[in-house]
Amino acid sequence: FDVDAAAEMLAAVLEWRRGYPDSAGARALGLRPVVDILGGVTADELQAYYASRYLGTTDRGGRPVYIERTGIVDPDSLAIVCGIPALVHLHVAQLEGEQQMRLLRATRAAGRPIVDMCTILDLEGMSMSLVNGNTRDYFGQISRIDSDNYPETAGKLFIINAPSVFSFAWRIAKGMVDARTVGKIRIMSASDPWREALLEAIPPESLPVEYGGTLELEGGCWPASKTRQVEFGGKIKELCEELAPVAEGERVRYKFHSKGGGMTFDVAFVPADGGAARPLVKAVKCDKMVVCEHWVAAPAAGALRATWKPSRASGRVLFVRVEREAEVEAARAASAETAAIIAAELAAGVDGAARTPAAEAAKA
């Protein structure tokens, strides 16, 4: 154990944390709402392109369990919807905020320090299209940050449903990773008994049913996002969607982007009394891989009818999200509430459970 090297590393970490990403520091970043870090993008919207979650359970060693569907990450959509810098900031915020809160809760439950995580990376659906410049940029940045500033936070790492190309690449890359870290990683293909391996490390009641356990989560392990994906071609030449009822003056947000080519967007108002529809948004052109956002207010009670028409149906994919203003505000409020909970628990510390109002009343 090199004391001088350890002291030098600690000093570098503290200096980095004081100045990342700005003078407020990394800890302050961890206390910010997700919607603020991502410039208005909510956690639900993020799930459409990068599905991940803390399960709120622990493995057999008391570690919090985190899982993500790495195989179907959409790096190109993430780059335009959120931006790579914001995603890197969110990664650090989770390490400083929610992950620390989960570790504190696990420490209280276990009655001993819990300092690392049990992580499951599901690579089902992974293709070579995932390995592009945006992917390398994002994962390269967070890998360096984790290695330099958050070492030894991975207690166990399961990579499941790994395609053969990933396993081959790992056999080459693991020679560059220290033996201690390699020993924490287990890589299994779809044909390997990965469910049994997960259950060896995680009690069935702590593992979702989708992964071989008995834990049933509301909406499933991966609830559907309000962001929908529509593939054009064949019989699908355009998308027409009606939102009803809408009240007079009610505002609705249409947020979308397309891959493979641009398209036009229209919104018409349909009166509740059965009168003729009248246009509110006329043939707005949206280029491919550009996020388009339109707020539309209903002039009276009725319905809003939106239409998306690609210039050519074949090969076009639309990602669309339609929300009433009240839903947008509710999501922002929920994000702020989550951040407040994290801040309160981190401020309380390991013995925070003993300082809750109920506990204080019991002591009195």
Side-chain angles (χ1 to χ4, degrees), residues 192-212:
D192 291 328
W194 56 263
R195 291 177 179 82
E196 290 79 356
L198 292 180
L199 287 170
E200 288 177 6
I202 305 170
E205 64 272 16
S206 296
L207 187 66
V209 293
E210 293 90 339
Y211 291 89

Side-chain angles (χ1 to χ4, degrees), residues 234-250:
K235 295 182 179 180
I236 304 178
K237 305 298 183 183
E238 65 179 41
L239 173 65
C240 185
E241 183 173 278
E242 189 167 290
L243 181 66
V246 290
E248 181 178 355
E250 185 174 8

Side-chain angles (χ1 to χ4, degrees), residues 7 12 29 61 83 85 97 110 134 148 179 183 194 237-238 241 261 264 271 282 284 286 295 301 313 330 339 353-354:
L29 181 63
N134 287 321
D148 293 344
W194 56 263
K237 305 298 183 183
E238 65 179 41
E241 183 173 278
T264 57
K282 295 182 180 181
V284 173
C286 296
W295 283 93

Side-chain angles (χ1 to χ4, degrees), residues 247-259:
E248 181 178 355
E250 185 174 8
R251 299 176 74 232
V252 175
R253 183 178 71 173
Y254 295 89
K255 186 176 182 180
F256 56 94
H257 70 275
S258 64
K259 292 183 177 182

Side-chain angles (χ1 to χ4, degrees), residues 20-40:
Y20 185 90
D22 51 40
S23 59
R27 174 48 62 92
L29 181 63
L31 304 181
R32 291 179 59 192
V34 169
V35 70
D36 291 348
I37 296 171
L38 296 181

Side-chain angles (χ1 to χ4, degrees), residues 305-342:
R305 182 183 298 154
T307 306
W308 291 264
K309 296 180 181 179
S311 54
R312 178 171 55 84
S314 179
R316 304 299 194 259
V317 180
L318 174 69
F319 296 85
V320 59
R321 188 176 183 89
V322 181
E323 294 176 286
R324 300 172 190 265
E325 186 172 29
E327 293 174 318
V328 174
E329 293 305 317
R332 288 180 175 275
S335 184
E337 182 179 2
T338 298
I341 291 171
I342 292 172

